[in-house]
């Protein structure tokens, strides 16, 4: 599913953090529009058009890329300057061992394909949670949950590695231990200037820790991002009470 938002950056903040369902693309946009931030014939500025892409990832990375690429291509065709993809856009494995097996470094094949996609479409991409094999992979045999921001030339302009890992007890399902296969990040990435405004990078469970949001806001962030892959239990436990 693909949704669009055309609001000033400060209004984008609340829309992207509410977790509300967005209407389908056919309801919001029926005609291609000029590139966001492009000067029109009357010399007035277009408000930035931002695309929020919703996908259901599987262990099949090729099929996941195909689905995401179709959404990004459509977003670019309709004039979006920035497209957001969710946490685990690359894949969701069946077990921790498969997660480690399918993970890749930032300079691997999959991210290279997304860089090419951004470059060919001329669009910024927020890749909300990439299963990254870091430089310490050989020592730790663990990965990072990495939010990658690509510019419209396909270059990596920022990376944020999730600092708050989701280690929780789920009623009726047992424990969820992200830390079993994932290392926590240690650095908060400063807000990044994009055509849609200054974007602060976070991921999923980070939303439970307001200090991170406050720090990003104090640093000038106009848009706070929480790309997520919550389940049927963890989703309502976070989006509804935390964003209200």
């Amino acid at each position: 599913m693909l949704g669009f938002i055309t609001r000033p950056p400060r209004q984008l903040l609340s829309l992207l953090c509410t977790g509300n369902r967005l209407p389908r693309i056919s309801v919001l946009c029926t005609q291609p529009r000029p590139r966001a931030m492009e000067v029109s014939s009357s010399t007035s500025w277009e408000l930035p058009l931002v695309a929020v892409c919703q996908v259901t990832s599987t262990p099949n990375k090729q099929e996941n890329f195909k689905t995401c690429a179709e959404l990004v291509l459509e977003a670019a065709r309709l004039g979006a300057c920035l497209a957001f993809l969710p946490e685990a856009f690359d894949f969701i494995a069946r077990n921790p061992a498969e997660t480690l097996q399918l993970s890749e470094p930032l300079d691997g094949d999959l991210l290279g394909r997304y860089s090419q996609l951004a470059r060919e479409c001329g669009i910024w991409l927020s890749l909300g949670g990439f299963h990254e094999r870091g430089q310490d992979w050989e020592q730790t045999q663990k990965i990072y949950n990495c939010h990658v921001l690509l510019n419209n030339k396909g270059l990596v302009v920022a990376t944020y590695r999730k600092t708050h890992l989701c280690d929780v007890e789920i009623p009726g399902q047992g424990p969820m231990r992200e830390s079993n296969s994932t290392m926590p990040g240690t650095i908060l990435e400063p807000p990044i200037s994009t055509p849609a405004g200054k974007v602060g990078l976070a991921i999923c469970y980070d939303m439970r820790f307001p200090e991170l949001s406050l720090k990003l806001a104090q640093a000038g962030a106009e848009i706070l991002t929480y790309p997520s892959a919550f389940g049927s239990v963890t989703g309502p436990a976070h989006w509804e009470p935390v964003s209200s």
Side-chain angles (χ1 to χ4, degrees), residues 94 97 181 198 213 226 233:
R94 287 165 285 230
S181 59
K198 297 191 74 172
S213 302
Y226 295 97
V233 176

Side-chain angles (χ1 to χ4, degrees), residues 15 69 88 117 216 220 242-243:
L15 283 167
L117 179 66
L216 288 171
V242 177
S243 63

Side-chain angles (χ1 to χ4, degrees), residues 98-236:
E98 187 177 44
T99 295
L100 297 177
Q101 177 188 354
L102 293 174
S103 63
E104 297 185 19
L106 290 178
D107 60 357
D109 175 71
L110 185 60
L111 202 62
R113 296 177 69 185
Y114 277 98
S115 294
Q116 181 179 355
L117 179 66
R119 183 170 61 253
E120 291 179 350
C121 292
I123 191 172
W124 286 60
L125 293 180
S126 165
L127 306 177
F130 176 74
H131 296 86
E132 178 205 357
R133 288 192 185 186
Q135 294 183 350
D136 56 358
W137 164 255
E138 294 295 334
Q139 292 75 37
T140 66
Q141 292 296 296
K142 290 187 177 184
I143 60 174
Y144 291 94
N145 190 342
C146 185
H147 190 159
V148 183
L149 187 65
L150 303 176
N151 66 13
N152 58 353
K153 299 183 185 301
L155 301 176
V156 176
V157 295
T159 56
Y160 163 74
R161 294 170 179 88
K162 185 178 180 183
T163 55
H164 302 100
L165 302 183
C166 191
D167 287 0
V168 296
E169 296 287 336
I170 302 177
Q173 297 184 21
M176 173 186 290
R177 295 285 182 266
E178 188 176 13
S179 62
N180 284 347
S181 59
T182 305
M183 295 286 290
T186 59
I187 298 174
L188 184 63
E189 182 70 22
I192 307 301
S193 294
T194 77
K198 297 191 74 172
V199 175
L201 304 181
I203 302 174
C204 196
Y205 194 58
D206 282 331
M207 71 186 306
R208 280 205 169 269
F209 302 86
E211 295 83 2
L212 184 150
S213 302
L214 288 171
K215 197 72 174 178
L216 288 171
Q218 290 167 356
E222 298 169 306
I223 304 169
L224 299 180
T225 57
Y226 295 97
S228 302
F230 284 126
S232 59
V233 176
T234 55

